[in-house]
Amino acid sequence: MISQVERDLSIQNRLPATPSPPPSPRLCRSRSKSSGQHQNRTAFPHRISWILLSVLLRRQGILLFAPLIYVSCMFFHMRVASFDAAPIIHRRPAPGSVYRSPQVYARLRADIDADNTTADAISTIWKRSYKGVEWKPCVNKSTGVLPESNGFIFIEANGGLNQQRTSICNAVAVAGYLNATLVIPNFHYHSIWKDPSKFGDIYDEEYFIDTLANYVRVVDTVPEYLMERFDYNLTNVYNFRVKAWAPTSYYRDSVLPKLLEEKVIRISPFANRLSFDAPRAVQRFRCLANNIALRFSKPILTQGETLVKKMKELSANNAGKYVSVHLRFEEDMVAFSCCVFDGGNQEKQDMIAARERGWKGKFTKPGRVIRPGANRLNGKCPLTPLEVGLMLRGMGFNKSTYIYLAAGPIYSANRTMAPLLEMFPNLQTKEMLASEEELAPFKNFSSRMAALDYTVCLHSEVFVTTQGGNFPHFLMGHRRYLFGGHSKTIRPDKRKLAVLFDNPKLGWRSFKRQMLSMRSHSDSKGFELKRPSGSIYIFPCPDCMCRKNKTTASAT
């Protein structure tokens, strides 16, 4: 007979057990050890999170903090469940911030050599006209007698050749405006240019005085009776410290009263000390001085004309037309730009030494940060000879083109000039065109050498500027004055070039297409009118030139 206990156990065994979730289907026969470890690591944070939440739910007063705690738990969970090895991100320099032009040249050189395009770029480069109108020089001549002078103005011109030119033209304008007599400007000796030349060494002084005779009185010295008052020492003369870009009203209200009182005043330094936004009558003095009265001295003019003649003879196959390039790749320019090229550690040491030599302590001041990549992206790095060659070949100038190079001593010339000479073997410089005897009177004077370059660039069919500055600015304006209002100047977009020269996939056809577009843009910008704050030395239209209708001119 079965006992009661046994009967109960038998009934209990027949009852169904507590239901449990069905096992998940097994996709793999076995799990890796690492997978099990990962599951254990992720399960523990889950348990902790639910325990904390259950405690908080019992304490309703803490529910206000539940979202914050939940986010914290999720963050903790994500960190624990993250991959064992986080991905490593390698940051590449921004496109265009690194100098890779040599690599581009190596990749494109075969295509450049194989490009036998016969198009004559020099004859077809300038196509645009300014709304059917061309310009002609137009400075009203004066034959009237000048009124009695209000006194003498003596200025000191600082800087290089064309910064001094700015000073001279502005001084003529101020003297004309104040009805004063201008003393031939003194050239301040500069530690960088190191040129002791006087006014008469660079410009034809007699011609300058005679040309301005009916507009502004010009003398070579202050009269003795006035110098006696100052112990024959000009440093004792009252000196005005004029702010840059001062308006004409300042000269009228502040300078003129002192001039009438003292009868002789000094303004030093005097470069950009007169606003470009000046009355038309004042602009006329600037035009007259810059485009007519300032003629180079006879030695410079004669040698300059000889160089121009030789360039035209060499380029006889192109009807005497040649290209001039103002290349700013001297050591001081490379150092001042704070850009990095491909010279390695030697270049780095050279640039540090050049900066300290030319601008003591300027680039090593506390807090001064030098960003070569940003400078390149912003178009502030001077174009290298290689980049100039690539650009011009892309614009359609072939290997037979004659190029005149206006430049000082090129940095690391043996290395940096080689690619340009490969692309343009007919490249010339003043040292190549003239003998040592011919250049001897100019060789140790930077301003006189620059004046020779200025003359040859002025008469070229195409002028290429690569870095900006006073030299190309004056040339652009002077060429507009000579060539019917068109500057005939190529101004490259250096920001765009920086990106192009850093493109590893750049092809020759694509590059050439973009260079032709850049060339066309320079042509369209050749005719530009001066804006109120623009430089009259760059934009002589309309203050120095008059419109000449083409249809009317052809009819007559």
Side-chain angles (χ1 to χ4, degrees):
M1 187 173 182
I2 301 173
S3 65
Q4 184 66 33
V5 175
E6 292 174 342
R7 190 183 298 113
D8 292 340
L9 288 172
S10 178
I11 295 171
Q12 186 175 0
N13 290 334
R14 289 195 297 268
L15 291 175
T18 304
S20 60
S24 58
R26 307 184 91 186
L27 299 179
C28 299
R29 290 186 177 272
S30 61
R31 295 183 182 178
S32 65
K33 184 178 179 181
S34 61
S35 176
Q37 291 176 349
H38 180 69
Q39 185 178 12
N40 292 336
R41 286 199 306 268
T42 56
F44 179 73
H46 274 293
R47 293 193 190 118
I48 297 297
S49 300
W50 284 113
I51 292 172
L52 289 173
L53 284 174
S54 62
V55 172
L56 289 172
L57 288 172
R58 293 174 186 172
R59 303 275 185 177
Q60 296 182 4
I62 315 178
L63 285 177
L64 293 174
F65 299 95
L68 178 62
I69 297 174
Y70 177 75
V71 171
S72 301
C73 292
M74 289 299 295
F75 178 73
F76 176 74
H77 167 68
M78 289 172 65
R79 290 195 61 184
V80 174
S82 63
F83 295 102
D84 293 336
I88 299 174
I89 300 174
H90 297 281
R91 292 188 178 181
R92 293 184 68 253
S97 62
V98 179
Y99 178 68
R100 293 195 177 96
S101 301
Q103 292 89 322
V104 173
Y105 176 54
R107 188 171 61 253
L108 297 181
R109 184 173 178 184
D111 294 325
I112 295 173
D113 293 338
D115 191 343
N116 295 320
T117 304
T118 57
D120 186 0
I122 287 187
S123 298
T124 61
I125 183 170
W126 311 124
K127 299 178 180 178
R128 304 297 180 95
S129 63
Y130 185 77
K131 298 179 181 178
V133 174
E134 65 179 13
W135 295 79
K136 62 179 181 178
C138 182
V139 178
N140 295 329
K141 294 184 178 180
S142 173
T143 56
V145 178
L146 293 175
E148 184 179 352
S149 174
N150 288 326
F152 294 82
I153 295 179
F154 176 78
I155 67 114
E156 289 190 355
N158 56 318
L161 175 70
N162 291 285
Q163 188 169 336
Q164 291 171 347
R165 194 181 184 105
T166 304
S167 300
I168 298 166
C169 297
N170 287 348
V172 170
V174 168
Y177 178 64
L178 299 180
N179 186 34
T181 300
L182 177 66
V183 182
I184 288 290
N186 179 53
F187 289 171
H188 186 265
Y189 182 82
H190 198 282
S191 60
I192 294 180
W193 286 275
K194 297 179 180 178
D195 189 337
S197 298
K198 304 300 181 185
F199 186 97
D201 297 322
I202 299 174
Y203 298 104
D204 188 330
E205 188 172 314
E206 185 177 349
Y207 180 82
F208 181 75
I209 294 173
D210 291 344
T211 303
L212 294 173
N214 293 327
Y215 303 88
V216 180
R217 290 187 183 87
V218 183
V219 296
D220 56 357
T221 57
V222 178
E224 188 173 349
Y225 74 91
L226 283 175
M227 289 301 299
E228 186 180 1
R229 287 173 46 197
F230 302 101
D231 295 330
Y232 299 96
N233 189 348
L234 278 170
T235 59
N236 294 329
V237 175
Y238 183 86
N239 183 42
F240 271 94
R241 290 284 181 177
V242 181
K243 292 183 179 180
W245 315 113
T248 52
S249 58
Y250 172 82
Y251 289 93
R252 180 194 63 210
D253 300 337
S254 300
V255 177
L256 181 58
K258 196 69 177 180
L259 175 66
L260 292 170
E261 177 186 345
E262 296 286 330
K263 290 303 178 183
V264 58
I265 60 169
R266 183 165 61 99
I267 307 178
S268 176
F270 190 85
N272 301 317
R273 296 297 186 268
L274 178 62
S275 170
F276 282 127
D277 189 9
R280 192 70 177 267
V282 176
Q283 302 288 46
R284 185 182 65 160
F285 292 123
R286 279 171 156 162
C287 296
L288 184 66
N290 184 42
N291 299 307
I292 301 176
L294 278 179
R295 186 173 73 181
F296 287 128
S297 63
K298 191 171 181 178
I300 293 174
L301 197 63
T302 302
Q303 186 58 55
E305 290 174 348
T306 301
L307 296 177
V308 171
K309 183 180 178 181
K310 288 184 178 181
M311 283 301 301
K312 289 185 175 182
E313 289 173 352
L314 290 171
S315 54
N317 290 338
N318 286 322
K321 297 177 179 180
Y322 59 92
V323 177
S324 62
V325 177
H326 183 224
L327 183 62
R328 294 306 313 273
F329 205 69
E330 303 92 346
E331 185 178 68
D332 62 330
M333 175 53 65
V334 177
F336 188 80
S337 71
C338 294
C339 297
V340 174
F341 297 92
D342 61 339
N345 188 61
Q346 183 61 51
E347 176 189 304
K348 181 179 179 181
Q349 298 304 319
D350 290 345
M351 295 304 103
I352 290 174
R355 289 183 197 120
E356 188 59 27
R357 190 167 55 247
W359 303 274
K360 297 184 184 298
K362 176 174 181 164
F363 295 94
T364 55
K365 290 181 179 179
R368 178 71 182 261
V369 179
I370 296 176
R371 297 185 176 91
N375 291 345
R376 185 169 298 282
L377 284 171
N378 290 328
K380 295 181 179 179
C381 293
L383 292 181
T384 65
L386 183 152
E387 290 172 328
V388 171
L390 278 173
M391 179 185 72
L392 291 178
R393 288 303 296 268
M395 289 181 174
F397 297 97
N398 57 35
K399 200 170 185 177
S400 64
T401 304
Y402 274 87
I403 292 180
Y404 179 82
L405 195 69
I410 301 299
Y411 172 65
S412 191
N414 291 336
R415 175 177 60 87
T416 58
M417 284 294 294
L420 179 58
L421 290 170
E422 289 170 355
M423 288 182 272
F424 292 98
N426 290 332
L427 182 141
Q428 304 289 322
T429 64
K430 52 185 174 294
E431 289 82 4
M432 297 166 70
L433 292 170
S435 65
E436 290 188 9
E437 292 77 15
E438 289 175 314
L439 290 180
F442 317 98
K443 201 146 193 178
N444 295 322
F445 304 93
S446 60
S447 291
R448 300 183 206 183
M449 294 287 274
L452 293 177
D453 281 340
Y454 186 99
T455 303
V456 185
C457 291
L458 181 64
H459 295 285
S460 63
E461 179 64 18
V462 180
F463 172 61
V464 182
T465 173
T466 63
Q467 184 61 14
N470 290 313
F471 186 94
H473 288 167
F474 267 96
L475 267 169
M476 287 165 60
H478 203 160
R479 288 167 64 83
R480 283 190 169 105
Y481 188 81
L482 293 179
F483 302 138
H486 196 299
S487 67
K488 294 189 176 183
T489 299
I490 292 176
R491 286 183 288 173
D493 184 343
K494 294 202 293 181
R495 293 183 180 182
K496 184 175 182 178
L497 285 176
V499 176
L500 284 174
F501 289 143
D502 192 18
N503 181 3
K505 299 180 181 179
L506 181 65
W508 176 241
R509 289 185 179 180
S510 173
F511 176 71
K512 191 170 182 179
R513 185 171 59 252
Q514 296 190 66
M515 290 302 96
L516 290 173
S517 175
M518 192 177 294
R519 188 186 95 175
S520 178
H521 181 72
S522 291
D523 184 16
S524 67
K525 299 294 284 185
F527 288 99
E528 283 189 277
L529 302 183
K530 178 186 173 297
R531 298 176 182 177
S533 59
S535 168
I536 197 171
Y537 308 122
I538 307 174
F539 308 105
C541 306
D543 294 304
C544 307
M545 305 184 75
C546 303
R547 293 190 180 189
K548 178 182 178 182
N549 190 291
K550 286 185 177 180
T551 56
T552 303
S554 60
T556 57

